[in-house]
Amino acid sequence: MIKITFPDGAVREFEKGIAALDIAKGISSGLAKKLLAAEVNGEVVDLTRPIETDAALNLLSWDDKGGQSTFWHSSAHLMAEAIEALYPGTKFGIGPAIESPKGFYYDIELPEGQKISTEDLPKIEKKMKELASKQNDFVRKEVSKADAVAYFKEKDDQYKLDLLEGLEDGEITFYTQGDFTDLCRGPHIPNTNKIQAIKLLNVAGAYWKGDENNQMMTRIYGVSFPKKDQLAHHLEMLEEAKKRDHRKLGAQLGIFMFSEKVGAGLPIWLPHGTALRTILEDFLKKEQLKQGYTPVITPHVGKKDLYVTSGHYEKYGEDSFQPIETPRENEEFFLKPMNCPHHCEVFAHMPRSFRDLPVRIAEFGTVYRYEQSGELHGLTRVRSFTVDDAHIFCTPDQLKEEFIDVLELIKMVISKLGFKDFTAQVSLRDPANKEKYIGSDENWDKAERMIQEAAAEVGLETVVETGEAAFYGPKLDFMIKDALGRSWQLGTVQVDYNLPERFELEYVGSDGQKHRPVMIHRAPFGSMERFIGVLIEHCAGNFPLWLAPEQVRVLPVAEKFLDYAKEVSKILKINDIRSTVDTRYERIGKLIRDAETQKVPFMLIVGEKEQEAETVNVRQHGKGDLGTISTTEFVEQIHKELQDN
RNA sequence: GCCAGUGUAGCUCAGUUGGCCAGAGCAGCUGAUUUGUAAUCAGCGGGUCGGGGGUUCGAAUCCCUCCACUGGCUCCA
């Protein structure tokens, strides 16, 4: 007999070798039906795997992450089965479940001369459903390495053979469902009949093992669910995300554009986008002034030597825009890929005393980085962007306090912009590869501890990623969830021991000796481009009033009220409310419709009644008619709403 | 960069077994309508069919090449 401990702490005895599924059946057949996998002593395994020792057991259904990923992984196998049936001779790479986008994929190489495009997906989908309805069990089998190699040699599948090379004899398992057998660690759901709803989403290229020197394979993405309505809901969410796409809304709302002539990945800010960005920048600038930052402005290029000193040339020189040369002296300049080297020079231009520290140098600095053409994407992946950058030079003793202040600032900025859900990702060095990092062991340990303490003190929920630190110091990134539950990495704070060293920065301490300052890089928005891209999608283009490029549009009911409309708009402008007048001679319904589609927060409709009484009829975007009030009253209401924010 | 796909008017899209002067709606312009809460009516203008090259009697349509955009490029069997 073995002892099984359930999540609620209950302990019961079962016969040795019993499967989780049988235990569940003993509890209730309804429960057993819902289950997808089991977690035995923290490891996700097949429901049918015999349990041989005392164990903690957690039964996994669709509501558990482990249940979902098992389900999707099994769906990948089902897809592979369908593909093998439709395209015999296909070779298979890997087929995992994935988190984002939700679902699974399989990397395949089709037989010579064949290819798959989006149009072929429904056919594969149909085959998958047909195979699922055969209600095949997923059967696990332990295989010797020799047998496994023989099997895939027979199939001439070099990818699986490549994978087998990295595996030890004795740890190799096969899973079979129907006519399809795959090298797989598992686990899997018990039977294909659980897979009730399937949608294959797209086809893409992917390098074997993600290395661009390797063979390019075809990757097919899909998603599946135990119930049909879950799939329908999922597809609705994807539709909603499409509607909110910042590339679409950005064009529609006159926020930004790209021009083939100007160049790919070089965003151009249109009037509405410029207004939005200026408001955000002004907001942060004001906050930073309060907190003792000193703004500077530095050039968009720097001499090669600057980047040789900073070390960026050695690391990124080949992969950045190539230098600009002066015609006679042949001096080389680089477009600046970051602002820190310039800011280090600002720090170094005069002797610094410990009394001056911390020095907080801030700049909305536009930087230029070469991205491969295929990696460009709207505003979120571009070749020129503006960082809301600042570099804090402080003594090691001041580091923690400065770090905390920065975290508070970023927290404030994020919540002010309507993001409710965010966590901090703390990236530490890989303790096994300490030589990869610059700076003393002692400093690293101190900084890593400091970051975690600081995050705890400001009440940030943190996730620690070991090995993700930059070579020059540990960092903390803000991971922000938008209205659709998607996660984005925005603000960032990084500790840097490297640049002060390379630029030989120093300050005079109270002891009269020279000391090296520590540097913090920080950017609450990250980049204006990326942040605004995410913001557009978060609020679906319906910006909060204080950010709306056009806050109020005055709509005259007929041409003869145009003068009154202009008068109203002028009063609003005098009162710092961004307002325009729609001067077109169109029906009021048309004017309203256009203002609504352009997501203008307030529309003021004016006609004879309003003109005579010096009032405005207020209509709010998405809400409709709010009634008539005096113009001054409206101004007060708007001011109040802006204040409360 | 690589794989797959897309590129027709400012926008959304029709037109492909190669064949008369390439179409529609919206937007724009002109005129009429002077209007009360999500599209007034009529007329007009607008396209090197992404650029270049080729095949052909004939190319938006087929081939090559370049450009831009879209989905992706280890969340390990």
Side-chain angles (χ1 to χ4, degrees), chain A residues 251-312:
Chain A
Q252 210 174 299
L253 302 177
I255 292 173
F256 67 92
M257 60 170 273
F258 289 96
S259 147
E260 273 192 38
K261 282 214 179 88
V262 173
L266 302 172
I268 295 169
W269 291 87
L270 294 172
H272 276 181
T274 306
L276 178 58
R277 185 173 143 176
T278 307
I279 297 160
L280 284 170
E281 291 185 0
D282 288 349
F283 158 65
L284 184 55
K285 278 180 188 163
K286 220 169 133 186
E287 245 3 275
Q288 289 182 165
L289 279 179
K290 280 189 215 161
Q291 299 200 15
Y293 285 79
T294 48
V296 299
I297 296 172
T298 66
H300 286 223
V301 295
K303 256 165 75 176
K304 176 177 169 183
D305 199 37
L306 179 68
Y307 302 106
V308 171
T309 302
S310 72
H312 292 115

Side-chain angles (χ1 to χ4, degrees), chain A residues 207 212 265 370-378 380-383:
Chain A
Y207 296 103
E212 58 186 32
Y370 171 74
E371 297 283 354
Q372 298 193 94
S373 57
E375 310 223 304
L376 301 172
H377 180 93
T380 55
R381 201 79 190 266
V382 288
R383 284 176 171 166

Side-chain angles (χ1 to χ4, degrees), chain A residues 120-176:
Chain A
D120 301 308
L121 297 181
K123 187 172 70 185
I124 302 170
E125 221 172 272
K126 198 175 149 212
K127 189 76 184 173
M128 286 173 73
K129 287 174 189 162
E130 182 191 317
L131 293 168
S133 66
K134 287 191 176 168
Q135 315 212 354
N136 290 317
D137 284 335
F138 281 88
V139 182
R140 179 177 189 274
K141 191 179 155 199
E142 287 171 16
V143 227
S144 71
K145 188 161 179 174
D147 286 352
V149 168
Y151 180 83
F152 286 108
K153 271 220 168 113
E154 169 72 33
K155 280 184 99 174
D156 192 28
D157 190 331
Q158 74 268 29
Y159 302 105
K160 295 292 177 188
L161 290 169
D162 187 358
L163 291 171
L164 277 167
E165 263 177 41
L167 296 176
E168 298 288 323
D169 211 351
E171 61 173 18
I172 296 168
T173 51
F174 278 9
Y175 275 83
T176 301

Side-chain angles (χ1 to χ4, degrees), chain A residues 241-398:
Chain A
K242 228 191 224 169
K243 268 193 234 153
R244 288 169 176 242
D245 193 320
H246 74 277
R247 291 166 298 181
K248 206 178 153 138
L249 284 173
Q252 210 174 299
L253 302 177
I255 292 173
F256 67 92
M257 60 170 273
F258 289 96
S259 147
E260 273 192 38
K261 282 214 179 88
V262 173
L266 302 172
I268 295 169
W269 291 87
L270 294 172
H272 276 181
T274 306
L276 178 58
R277 185 173 143 176
T278 307
I279 297 160
L280 284 170
E281 291 185 0
D282 288 349
F283 158 65
L284 184 55
K285 278 180 188 163
K286 220 169 133 186
E287 245 3 275
Q288 289 182 165
L289 279 179
K290 280 189 215 161
Q291 299 200 15
Y293 285 79
T294 48
V296 299
I297 296 172
T298 66
H300 286 223
V301 295
K303 256 165 75 176
K304 176 177 169 183
D305 199 37
L306 179 68
Y307 302 106
V308 171
T309 302
S310 72
H312 292 115
Y313 179 75
E314 197 193 347
K315 207 165 160 60
Y316 299 108
E318 299 277 302
D319 294 319
S320 55
F321 285 119
Q322 291 310 290
I324 305 159
E325 268 185 51
T326 55
R328 295 195 223 297
E329 307 87 337
N330 296 324
E331 281 182 299
E332 291 183 314
F333 290 88
F334 277 87
L335 284 167
K336 70 171 166 187
M338 61 277 300
N339 300 302
C340 24
H342 286 81
H343 289 183
C344 284
E345 285 301 292
V346 174
F347 181 85
H349 91 284
M350 59 189 256
R352 305 281 185 176
S353 141
F354 72 98
R355 295 178 200 280
D356 302 330
L357 301 190
V359 172
R360 310 181 186 91
I361 299 172
E363 175 177 21
F364 283 79
T366 305
V367 297
Y368 302 86
R369 296 181 189 172
Y370 171 74
E371 297 283 354
Q372 298 193 94
S373 57
E375 310 223 304
L376 301 172
H377 180 93
L379 283 183
T380 55
R381 201 79 190 266
V382 288
R383 284 176 171 166
S384 109
F385 58 94
T386 301
V387 186
D388 53 330
D389 223 346
H391 296 94
I392 300 173
F393 300 87
C394 62
T395 70
D397 291 344
Q398 294 168 329

Side-chain angles (χ1 to χ4, degrees), chain A residues 64-125:
Chain A
D64 303 286
K65 249 197 169 142
Q68 278 189 21
S69 62
T70 306
F71 187 87
W72 283 328
H73 184 195
S74 299
S75 302
H77 278 231
L78 181 66
M79 179 166 80
E81 184 184 1
I83 291 169
E84 188 163 71
L86 293 168
Y87 306 89
T90 297
K91 294 164 189 175
F92 294 90
I94 60 168
I98 49 173
E99 272 285 318
S100 170
K102 288 179 182 304
F104 58 87
Y105 68 77
Y106 219 119
D107 284 344
I108 62 170
E109 184 194 324
L110 289 156
E112 195 66 33
Q114 294 204 50
K115 62 179 183 181
I116 282 183
S117 70
T118 325
E119 290 96 75
D120 301 308
L121 297 181
K123 187 172 70 185
I124 302 170
E125 221 172 272

Side-chain angles (χ1 to χ4, degrees), chain A residues 288-519:
Chain A
Q288 289 182 165
L289 279 179
K290 280 189 215 161
Q291 299 200 15
Y293 285 79
T294 48
V296 299
I297 296 172
T298 66
H300 286 223
V301 295
K303 256 165 75 176
K304 176 177 169 183
D305 199 37
L306 179 68
Y307 302 106
V308 171
T309 302
S310 72
H312 292 115
Y313 179 75
E314 197 193 347
K315 207 165 160 60
Y316 299 108
E318 299 277 302
D319 294 319
S320 55
F321 285 119
Q322 291 310 290
I324 305 159
E325 268 185 51
T326 55
R328 295 195 223 297
E329 307 87 337
N330 296 324
E331 281 182 299
E332 291 183 314
F333 290 88
F334 277 87
L335 284 167
K336 70 171 166 187
M338 61 277 300
N339 300 302
C340 24
H342 286 81
H343 289 183
C344 284
E345 285 301 292
V346 174
F347 181 85
H349 91 284
M350 59 189 256
R352 305 281 185 176
S353 141
F354 72 98
R355 295 178 200 280
D356 302 330
L357 301 190
V359 172
R360 310 181 186 91
I361 299 172
E363 175 177 21
F364 283 79
T366 305
V367 297
Y368 302 86
R369 296 181 189 172
Y370 171 74
E371 297 283 354
Q372 298 193 94
S373 57
E375 310 223 304
L376 301 172
H377 180 93
L379 283 183
T380 55
R381 201 79 190 266
V382 288
R383 284 176 171 166
S384 109
F385 58 94
T386 301
V387 186
D388 53 330
D389 223 346
H391 296 94
I392 300 173
F393 300 87
C394 62
T395 70
D397 291 344
Q398 294 168 329
L399 189 58
K400 185 170 171 187
E401 197 186 326
E402 285 303 306
F403 205 91
I404 288 177
D405 285 351
V406 168
L407 292 185
E408 294 283 13
L409 174 68
I410 301 181
K411 254 180 79 175
M412 189 277 288
V413 167
I414 291 171
S415 15
K416 171 95 178 176
L417 286 157
F419 294 97
K420 304 234 152 44
D421 194 352
F422 51 89
T423 56
Q425 181 179 309
V426 175
S427 298
L428 308 178
R429 68 184 162 161
D430 176 3
N433 280 307
K434 284 188 180 173
E435 69 286 352
K436 276 195 346 202
Y437 305 92
I438 176 164
S440 75
D441 236 24
E442 191 196 343
N443 278 338
W444 269 89
D445 285 342
K446 240 171 41 190
E448 291 188 345
R449 221 174 320 120
M450 180 279 294
I451 290 183
Q452 293 180 76
E453 285 167 12
E457 271 177 49
V458 302
L460 271 174
E461 194 187 312
T462 55
V463 181
V464 174
E465 296 285 346
T466 325
E468 289 294 305
F471 73 93
Y472 51 78
K475 61 173 181 171
L476 183 152
D477 295 312
F478 279 78
M479 307 298 294
I480 296 174
K481 271 203 178 155
D482 71 9
L484 296 184
R486 298 169 299 180
S487 235
W488 302 88
Q489 186 201 307
L490 293 170
T492 177
V493 198
Q494 314 188 354
V495 177
D496 188 346
Y497 295 109
N498 179 41
L499 283 182
E501 195 76 38
R502 286 180 160 270
F503 279 88
E504 297 177 359
L505 303 180
E506 28 192 45
Y507 64 91
V508 179
S510 58
D511 55 2
Q513 300 297 306
K514 290 188 170 166
H515 298 273
R516 186 127 294 159
V518 188
M519 191 173 165

